[in-house]
Amino acid sequence: MGEPGFIDVVICTYNHAALLNRALEALARQRETEEVAWSVVVVDNNCTDETPAVVDAHAATGRVPGLRRVSEPEQGLTPARRRGVRATTAPWIAFVDDDCLLDEGWVAQAAAFVRDHAEIGGMGGRVVLDWETPPPRYVHGYGWALAAQDHGAEPKEVGSLAGAGMVIRREALDACGWVERPLLEDRVGERLVSGGDVELTLRVRSAGYALWYNPACVLRHVVGSGRTARRYLARLIYGLGISQTLADALVWPSGYDGWRDATRRQVRRLLVEATRQIRRAVRRRRAFTPALFDASFASGRYAGVRQIERMPKEERDRLIGCAVPRVASPTETA
């Protein structure tokens, strides 16, 4: 692998060769990186498309430093990210999805920020949604479901980070134990499961490392027209409801019984309110989509509760409270 660099960019991909090509083109255009030792690893998660050819073509140009491809046979974003961590050596790891286009100064800005904030465990930048086609009106207000991230014009400490473009200190990953034993799935094939991003950043915080937002690092998250369809968004938001329940369990400080009772009450209120909104929308024949999305989130929250209740006790005990933060909670959270 050669001498370790400063930042290793890890791109996990599954049958998105065209998007991967655009992501690598954006990396080839990085500027002001003369003082930054960086390289790129593509994790091929059982791709059956043109992914190998795309990587080989970009590697042949020499414009993407150290570009190479490794394979991960276990399907899913979490095992693919673990493979990326194990295939690299730099002290900082940038997880960049295959549908993310980095601004031309992204690598240089990320390197400068983490050097100036030597004590932090992770950093994320501004994530701008890049619509392939103009989205329907009902999509507005749900950018959070598509990983949009914008906490203002100034750097600040945050509580968690979007997975797109998060930069994590290797030392913090080792300290929190995520590489050895992740607990949550994230994007398994075409299944819209989620939670891995949240777990990773919460566990880094639980090991005593702060997370920061840096608006100077800008990336565009490409959103295809299929991802703005009402049915797709409802499924996605349902998965995010499950993820929220699991994330809350990770940071719950007082054991399973207390978590179960408090969460059941909270989810019951969400379901009651979502049912009322659906009924009002049907009765008034308008504003049905927001009610549908709220109901999807509430249903996902309930499904998350049931998922944890059905876990074997040993697995459940590992999950509840495993990421209780040891750093002061920031006033602004991701």
Side-chain angles (χ1 to χ4, degrees), residues 35-314:
E35 303 301 318
V36 182
W38 64 291
S39 63
V40 179
V41 174
V42 174
V43 181
D44 182 335
N45 197 199
N46 299 310
C47 296
T48 58
D49 61 2
E50 298 301 313
T51 288
V54 167
V55 176
D56 289 346
H58 280 276
T61 71
R63 296 177 61 209
V64 181
L67 176 62
R68 59 196 176 91
R69 180 176 63 92
V70 298
S71 297
E72 173 49 57
E74 183 181 350
Q75 198 68 55
L77 184 54
T78 293
R81 281 180 172 158
R82 292 173 75 201
R83 179 70 177 96
V85 172
R86 288 169 168 158
T88 56
T89 56
W92 290 93
I93 305 162
F95 294 103
V96 178
D97 296 339
D98 55 18
D99 55 3
C100 292
L101 309 179
L102 301 185
D103 180 86
E104 292 180 358
W106 194 95
V107 170
Q109 291 286 352
F113 190 85
V114 298
R115 280 173 173 159
D116 290 343
H117 297 74
E119 77 290 349
I120 69 174
M123 180 217 74
R126 187 166 168 247
V127 180
V128 179
L129 301 183
D130 187 357
W131 312 104
E132 286 191 335
T133 58
R137 183 178 300 177
Y138 60 72
V139 174
H140 298 293
Y142 293 92
W144 56 271
L146 296 165
Q149 181 168 261
D150 188 344
H151 297 295
E154 299 297 327
K156 62 182 66 176
E157 186 180 348
V158 293
S160 64
L161 298 169
M166 64 180 173
V167 184
I168 302 294
R169 181 190 292 273
R170 185 180 299 275
E171 173 189 294
L173 282 180
D174 292 340
C176 74
W178 176 85
V179 177
E180 296 305 317
R181 180 175 278 181
L183 300 173
L184 303 183
E185 291 184 319
D186 203 334
R187 292 294 188 276
V188 181
E190 300 301 328
R191 290 168 52 206
L192 296 180
V193 295
S194 61
D197 297 345
V198 175
E199 179 198 354
L200 199 158
T201 55
L202 290 180
R203 288 181 66 176
V204 165
R205 283 191 71 220
S206 76
Y209 294 87
L211 305 171
W212 275 71
Y213 164 74
N214 174 24
C217 288
V218 180
L219 69 81
R220 289 181 290 132
H221 183 205
V222 179
V223 182
S225 57
R227 298 182 70 187
T228 63
R230 187 180 283 107
R231 184 173 181 178
Y232 177 92
L233 273 176
R235 289 174 55 221
L236 181 63
I237 291 170
Y238 173 86
L240 291 170
I242 297 175
S243 172
Q244 183 64 59
T245 298
L246 297 172
D248 289 349
L250 288 170
V251 297
W252 183 262
S254 58
Y256 170 67
D257 289 341
W259 171 85
R260 180 195 58 205
D261 294 343
T263 306
R264 279 180 174 176
R265 288 193 297 271
Q266 183 183 38
V267 171
R268 190 179 299 115
R269 288 194 296 269
L270 287 174
L271 288 170
V272 168
E273 179 56 30
T275 300
R276 288 173 179 165
Q277 289 185 35
I278 289 286
R279 288 173 176 168
R280 283 197 296 267
V282 171
R283 186 168 60 250
R284 298 173 183 177
R285 297 183 180 180
R286 61 184 177 86
F288 180 77
T289 298
L292 170 66
F293 290 164
D294 288 348
S296 297
F297 186 77
S299 298
R301 292 278 276 146
Y302 176 74
V305 172
R306 297 294 297 143
Q307 180 176 324
I308 293 175
E309 289 178 337
R310 289 193 296 265
M311 285 180 180
K313 183 179 184 302
E314 181 181 349

